[in-house]
Structures are given as structure tokens and as C-alpha cells.
């Protein structure tokens, strides 16, 4: 999962909101600075995450698309540390 992957790199993520449209951000980040750094790193790796708005999941997100997104996220996390 994205949350577990973040933990591998020392980035604690949290998701809130509906399961189909979660808002994912860095935990314990009241001013959203860490979340903005995280989102910028994800975007630089080719994975778009918005630092201030909910995303969405749908049946169009196949297992292979999710696996590709997690691999791009891994690249993004390496750019944060």
C-alpha cells in the first residue's frame, strides 16, 4: 500500500474522506508543508497527487495500474530523503 511504502521511507501518510475519493496527506503536518513536499516529489516521479484535494479510485484502476503507481511512488519517496 502507499501508506506502507511511505513508512519504508519514514513518511507517515494518512487518508481521510470516502474510500473512493480519499485525501492523502503526510500525518502530523498542520501547515501542509510536508504534504506539499511529498506531492511535489510524487509529481516529479510521474505520479500526480494533489496536495490539497481529494483524489479518486475507480474500477478503471486495475491491479497493474496500481502497481505502476506504487513503483512511481517509490521513486518519489527516494527524492524526499
Amino acid at each position: 500500500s502507499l501508506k506502507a511504502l511511505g513508512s519504508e521511507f519514514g513518511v507517515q501518510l494518512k487518508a481521510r474522506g470516502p474510500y473512493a475519493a480519499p485525501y492523502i496527506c503526510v500525518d502530523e503536518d498542520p501547515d501542509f508543508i510536508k504534504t506539499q513536499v511529498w506531492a511535489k516529489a510524487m509529481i516529479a516521479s510521474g505520479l500526480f497527487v494533489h496536495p490539497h484535494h481529494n483524489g479518486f479510485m475507480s474500477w478503471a484502476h486495475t491491479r497493474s495500474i496500481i502497481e505502476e503507481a506504487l513503483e512511481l511512488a517509490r521513486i518519489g519517496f527516494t527524492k524526499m530523503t
Side-chain angles (χ1 to χ4, degrees), residues 3-76:
K3 187 173 181 176
L5 187 59
S7 291
E8 288 180 29
F9 290 91
V11 179
Q12 302 306 312
L13 298 176
K14 68 178 178 179
R16 57 184 183 212
Y19 290 119
Y23 171 59
I24 302 170
C25 59
V26 176
D27 199 12
E28 298 184 23
D29 183 27
D31 56 6
F32 299 100
I33 298 299
K34 294 176 188 174
T35 299
Q36 291 175 37
V37 169
W38 172 69
K40 185 176 179 180
M42 295 299 109
I43 291 167
S45 73
L47 180 63
F48 180 77
V49 284
H50 200 288
H52 302 288
H53 296 287
N54 295 46
F56 73 94
M57 291 292 297
S58 77
W59 288 109
H61 293 102
T62 63
R63 179 175 297 276
S64 64
I65 289 171
I66 293 170
E67 288 171 359
E68 179 183 0
L70 289 172
E71 196 52 44
L72 291 171
R74 179 178 298 282
I75 294 166

